[in-house]
């Protein structure tokens, strides 16, 4: 990397070298049987240069000829976009504990035994198809540039999931656990899954109309993804976002506060710096319903005359840097999930949605199918909903929040509570 940076710095006005390597393993059980084990190794180098105010990029998976990579980046810069930013000098970042020693030496036979034990636990208590899996990876990345930045990061993650499939469908109930080192699904999570699956044996088609809906912790992201499109600096700069010029405005319920917390020690995506060498930092995006700030990379921070927020990440070695959210956390409220359910006369609770990436996302619109959800009547779950869709505008829907769960659940790279929202448009029978 040092030689490559030296060559690039001699030929360009500024240069940046990014390196990453990763290894991953996974084991999958399908219909309670060990089905597939996969392993992968990858590494790569991305070089960015700025020459005469223009940005060029080249990448390789195998650095056999450093000069050839420099020449490719310089050629790309000749026809590259004009930029006004400089690669930053970052000397110090927050120290984070993001790597679990021994992650690479996890024994697959132990995981297979654990998977069979989990399946036996579920099968002894209820019928139905059980899918289960484990995945674990480790890796490192390093950023160096001509300004003097030289930062390195080592990370690891492990996840375990189990799914119970509804008969005759491809959807079902899902439980998930993740950490930087080995972890497992708790008996409490498995018991919750089993209880819901038993209720799902009764199938209900809900009536069409507006009603209260609880978005369980795994489903509010479908609504907030519309907000994330709105705060994309590309959309703000091009003046196509509905949030242009609305910083300081109330855009959703005052019960909602959404933060970026990139240094959360329990989230597997925590990192002290982005792929451009900018320190990551806590950022309040929505505070008590008020739109507070957007995320930026170096390029759009310059274009918008804002400070970079440390959100410049590569979409793979061959991709480009763009501003991407990191460790989104929604503040917990003061109601338990049981209290939310008990408060509903007739309504829904949804655990997963289909088609969350469809519709006019930028304008906040959504039309999604309920993959797994339950009808609530007189404060109790009475059956699994079928042939049901939710439609609306995310900003309007999030303005009707009646309660926020008192637990913000860890979900890999997010923390989200359940939301009770009134007046959601439900299409059933």
């Amino acid at each position: 990397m040092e030689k490559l940076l030296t060559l690039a710095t001699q030929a360009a006005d500024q240069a940046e070298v990014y390196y990453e390597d990763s290894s991953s393993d996974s084991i999958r059980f399908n219909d309670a049987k060990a089905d597939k084990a996969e392993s992968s190794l990858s590494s790569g180098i991305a070089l960015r240069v700025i020459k005469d105010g223009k940005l060029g990029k080249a990448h390789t998976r195998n650095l056999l000829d450093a000069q050839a990579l420099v020449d490719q980046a310089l050629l790309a810069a000749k026809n590259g976009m004009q930029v006004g930013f400089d690669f930053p000098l970052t000397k110090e970042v927050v120290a984070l504990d993001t790597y679990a020693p021994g992650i690479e030496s996890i024994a697959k036979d132990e995981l297979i035994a654990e998977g069979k034990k989990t399946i036996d636990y579920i099968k002894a208590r209820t019928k139905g198809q059980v899918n289960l899996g484990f995945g674990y990876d480790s890796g490192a990345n390093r950023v160096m540039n001509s300004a003097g930045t030289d930062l390195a990061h080592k990370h690891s993650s492990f996840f375990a999931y189990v799914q119970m499939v509804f008969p005759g469908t491809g959807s079902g109930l899902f439980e998930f656990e993740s950490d930087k080192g080995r972890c497992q699904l708790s008996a409490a999570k498995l018991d919750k899954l089993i209880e819901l699956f038993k209720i799902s044996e009764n199938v209900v088609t809900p009536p069409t109309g507006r009603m209260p809906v609880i978005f369980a912790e795994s489903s509010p992201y479908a609504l907030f993804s519309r907000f994330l499109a709105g705060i994309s600096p590309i959309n703000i700069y091009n003046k196509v976002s509905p949030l242009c010029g609305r910083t300081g405005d109330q855009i959703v319920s005052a019960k909602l506060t959404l933060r970026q917390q990139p240094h959360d020690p329990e989230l597997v995506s925590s990192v002290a710096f982005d792929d451009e060498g900018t320190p990551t930092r806590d950022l309040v995006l929505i505070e008590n319903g008020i739109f507070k700030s957007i995320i930026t990379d170096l390029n759009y921070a310059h274009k918008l005359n804002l400070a970079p927020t440390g959100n410049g990440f590569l979409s793979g070695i061959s991709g480009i840097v763009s501003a991407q959210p990191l460790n989104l956390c929604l503040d917990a409220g003061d109601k338990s999930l049981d209290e939310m359910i008990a408060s509903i006369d007739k309504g829904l609770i949804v655990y997963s949605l289909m088609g969350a990436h469809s519709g006019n996302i930028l304008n906040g619109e959504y039309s999604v199918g309920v993959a797994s959800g339950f009808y609530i009547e007189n404060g109790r779950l009475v059956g699994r909903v079928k042939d049901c869709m939710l439609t609306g505008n995310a900003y309007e829907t999030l303005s009707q929040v009646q309660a926020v769960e008192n637990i913000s659940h860890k979900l890999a790279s997010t923390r989200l509570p359940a939301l009770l929202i009134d007046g959601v448009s439900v299409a059933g029978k």
Side-chain angles (χ1 to χ4, degrees):
M1 287 184 68
E2 289 84 354
K3 178 183 177 182
L4 177 61
L5 181 61
T6 298
L7 288 173
T9 301
Q10 291 170 347
D13 302 321
Q14 299 181 58
E16 170 201 86
V17 178
Y18 174 83
Y19 168 81
E20 71 174 18
D21 68 62
S22 63
S23 63
S24 65
D25 291 89
S26 64
I27 299 172
R28 187 177 72 185
F29 292 75
N30 186 47
D31 197 10
K33 301 177 182 66
D35 179 57
K36 184 180 290 188
E38 296 180 319
S39 299
S40 68
L41 292 168
S42 67
S43 64
I45 291 177
L47 171 66
R48 294 199 301 173
V49 298
I50 298 176
K51 178 75 170 178
D52 299 327
K54 292 185 177 181
L55 181 70
K57 178 180 178 291
H59 69 277
T60 183
R61 294 288 180 183
N62 191 353
L63 187 61
L64 298 176
D65 189 339
Q67 186 60 56
L69 190 65
V70 172
D71 292 342
Q72 290 173 23
L74 290 171
L75 181 61
K78 284 186 177 181
N79 298 308
M81 67 177 179
Q82 197 78 31
V83 295
F85 66 86
D86 295 322
F87 295 129
L89 170 59
T90 303
K91 292 185 176 180
E92 295 182 1
V93 292
V94 174
L96 299 177
D97 182 14
T98 55
Y99 174 73
I103 189 81
E104 298 92 347
S105 59
I106 292 176
K108 286 188 174 66
D109 57 347
E110 292 181 11
L111 294 180
I112 291 172
E114 184 176 321
K116 290 179 178 178
K117 181 179 178 181
T118 301
I119 290 167
D120 289 344
Y121 183 91
I122 295 172
K123 288 287 192 178
R125 290 161 176 79
T126 189
K127 61 183 179 180
Q129 179 178 334
V130 181
N131 299 335
L132 181 146
F134 304 97
Y136 47 105
D137 65 63
S138 63
N141 62 291
R142 185 180 178 189
V143 182
M144 302 174 65
N145 65 35
S146 53
T149 293
D150 187 354
L151 302 171
H153 170 67
K154 195 171 184 179
H155 59 88
S156 64
S157 66
F158 183 100
F159 70 82
Y161 75 87
V162 63
Q163 180 192 33
M164 294 203 68
V165 180
F166 299 138
T169 76
S171 60
L173 295 164
F174 196 85
E175 282 292 345
F176 179 87
E177 189 62 72
S178 65
D179 206 337
K180 65 183 177 184
R182 185 170 171 178
C183 60
Q184 61 183 11
L185 291 158
S186 67
K189 283 193 172 184
L190 296 179
D191 290 343
K192 172 188 171 185
L193 190 75
I194 292 165
E195 179 185 359
L196 289 175
F197 192 76
K198 289 178 179 178
I199 297 172
S200 75
E201 294 176 357
N202 183 39
V203 179
V204 178
T205 300
T208 292
R210 292 189 176 273
M211 63 185 69
V213 173
I214 298 172
F215 289 79
E217 68 270 13
S218 54
S219 58
Y221 192 87
L223 300 176
F224 283 103
S225 64
R226 274 68 183 159
F227 167 73
L228 296 177
I231 66 167
S232 163
I234 297 175
N235 294 329
I236 296 288
Y237 180 75
N238 290 322
K239 301 186 186 304
V240 295
S241 169
L243 298 177
C244 286
R246 297 201 60 194
T247 304
D249 287 357
Q250 189 94 28
I251 60 168
V252 294
S253 167
K255 296 180 182 292
L256 299 177
T257 294
L258 182 68
R259 312 171 189 272
Q260 172 180 274
Q261 296 183 300
H263 305 154
D264 188 317
E266 294 185 350
L267 298 183
V268 296
S269 54
S270 292
V271 64
F273 58 91
D274 68 7
D275 294 345
E276 300 184 292
T278 304
T280 55
R281 60 187 175 96
D282 288 355
L283 197 65
V284 179
L285 304 175
I286 299 173
E287 185 174 35
N288 299 326
I290 297 172
F291 174 35
K292 300 294 289 187
S293 54
I294 70 170
I295 58 175
T296 61
D297 55 12
L298 291 176
N299 184 35
Y300 278 93
H302 170 75
K303 287 184 174 184
L304 293 168
N305 195 29
L306 297 170
T309 59
N311 288 89
F313 292 97
L314 279 166
S315 54
I317 284 293
S318 62
I320 62 172
V321 172
S322 61
Q324 300 173 29
L326 181 65
N327 287 8
L328 292 177
C329 301
L330 187 63
D331 283 7
D334 59 0
K335 296 291 184 182
S336 70
L337 183 60
D338 287 343
E339 288 175 323
M340 291 183 188
I341 294 171
S343 71
I344 294 176
D345 181 34
K346 292 183 179 181
L348 300 181
I349 179 169
V350 296
Y351 286 94
S352 61
L353 300 166
M354 299 180 292
H357 300 292
S358 62
N360 192 331
I361 292 176
L362 182 57
N363 285 339
E365 296 173 7
Y366 66 91
S367 180
V368 295
V370 178
S372 61
F374 295 84
Y375 191 62
I376 301 170
E377 199 167 56
N378 299 322
R380 55 184 291 270
L381 277 58
V382 296
R384 169 171 64 94
V385 296
K386 181 182 178 183
D387 301 328
C388 176
M389 292 193 69
L390 310 179
T391 59
N393 180 280
Y395 296 104
E396 295 174 3
T397 299
L398 290 171
S399 295
Q400 301 300 316
V401 173
Q402 301 300 302
V404 179
E405 189 183 7
N406 56 4
I407 300 171
S408 195
H409 302 267
K410 182 181 73 169
L411 299 165
S413 58
T414 62
R415 287 187 184 275
L416 297 173
L419 301 178
L420 169 56
I421 303 178
D422 196 21
V424 178
S425 181
V426 176
K429 62 182 178 181

